[in-house]
Amino acid sequence: MRVVVVGATPEGIKLAHLLFEKGNEVIVIDDKRRRGEEVLSQIDVGVIVDGLSKLRPYKEAGIEKADIVIAVHEDDSINITACLIAKTHGVKRIVAIVSDHETAEILRKLGVSNVYVRADILAGRIIKELEPVSVLSEGEDFKIMSVKIEETSRVAGRKIADLKLPDWILPLAIIKEEKLMPIIHDTVIEPGTKLIVLVKKKHITDVTEVLR
């Protein structure tokens, strides 16, 4: 996919890096030369530095050929401009990360559905970290859950093969350093990782007692 990231903010650089690693063609545009140079020092992507209230940098980035435009500049007026230019050039997927709910509402009224507020994202991350057990997905009879393994967890430091787990819970994978790793017979459950398990719905409340 061709992705145009507007704004070399910390979020913009992180998104550009992740998208590039997944094999996408990424172009970052920003209005500050220092930030453009920072992007080039970290990732082998296209970088354009110019005034973002003008059409020129967007045209130079080939916005009319973009599959996705992501607006993450700290100046919300630039994010609004970027989203409007993307819409008028027929971009199908537009994502914006903005500073406040008023700007988010303006963008939604303009037809941009994927709008996120920075404070909400941060709050959501903190809550997720504070919650040791969270539901990732669910079906009719089962739920897939994520369980954070602490130093004090009863399964910390033990091999999957050595756990005598009840038949209503099945370990599926481990998340370590943001990477999903399959479970094998001698996998050790390390503190700081997250264990992904399949659980029968009627035993949801028992997960913490078994794994924590």
Side-chain angles (χ1 to χ4, degrees):
M1 291 190 303
R2 185 183 183 92
V3 184
V4 175
V5 178
V6 182
T9 57
E11 303 102 319
I13 294 174
K14 180 67 173 178
L15 285 165
H17 195 281
L18 292 172
L19 289 162
F20 176 73
E21 282 189 334
K22 291 182 179 294
N24 297 289
E25 179 187 1
V26 180
I27 300 170
V28 179
I29 60 178
D30 196 78
D31 53 352
K32 297 178 178 62
R33 185 165 301 281
R34 175 185 55 79
R35 298 205 307 198
E37 291 171 351
E38 182 182 352
V39 175
L40 286 173
S41 70
Q42 297 182 37
I43 329 166
D44 186 19
V45 298
V47 174
I48 297 168
V49 178
D50 202 342
L52 297 181
S53 59
K54 307 172 185 176
L55 181 59
R56 184 173 57 202
Y58 303 95
K59 296 291 284 185
E60 188 178 343
I63 198 166
E64 71 280 359
K65 299 177 183 177
D67 297 292
I68 306 175
V69 168
I70 305 174
V72 291
H73 202 280
E74 70 272 11
D75 184 340
D76 282 339
S77 66
I78 289 175
N79 290 327
I80 292 173
T81 298
C83 290
L84 285 173
I85 291 174
K87 281 190 70 66
T88 57
H89 283 78
V91 179
K92 301 296 183 185
R93 298 176 64 187
I94 304 171
V95 179
I97 299 176
V98 298
S99 301
D100 55 66
H101 289 277
E102 289 78 10
T103 303
E105 188 60 27
I106 289 171
L107 285 172
R108 291 189 183 105
K109 287 180 178 178
L110 291 172
V112 181
S113 55
N114 297 309
V115 185
Y116 306 92
V117 178
R118 283 186 174 85
D120 292 347
I121 295 172
L122 178 59
R125 285 179 180 172
I126 292 172
I127 292 299
K128 191 173 181 180
E129 285 300 313
L130 292 175
E131 290 180 343
V133 180
S134 58
V135 177
L136 302 179
S137 179
E138 62 180 288
E140 188 175 339
D141 299 313
F142 294 88
K143 287 190 178 185
I144 297 177
M145 305 183 71
S146 168
V147 182
K148 188 175 182 180
I149 306 301
E150 305 284 3
E151 291 279 357
T152 55
S153 300
R154 63 184 66 191
V155 298
R158 299 178 62 186
K159 291 182 179 180
I160 290 289
D162 296 335
L163 300 179
K164 296 180 179 179
L165 297 174
D167 60 5
W168 49 262
I169 185 169
L170 175 67
L172 300 175
I174 284 178
I175 297 177
K176 181 180 180 181
E177 296 175 353
E178 298 187 2
K179 294 182 179 179
L180 186 66
M181 304 170 63
I183 285 178
I184 56 178
H185 190 68
D186 59 351
T187 296
V188 176
I189 306 173
E190 300 177 14
T193 60
K194 291 181 180 179
L195 184 62
I196 309 301
V197 292
L198 182 69
V199 182
K200 287 184 178 179
K201 278 189 175 181
K202 64 181 181 180
H203 290 287
I204 294 301
T205 56
D206 301 322
V207 172
T208 300
E209 182 180 347
V210 171
L211 298 177
R212 297 273 300 169

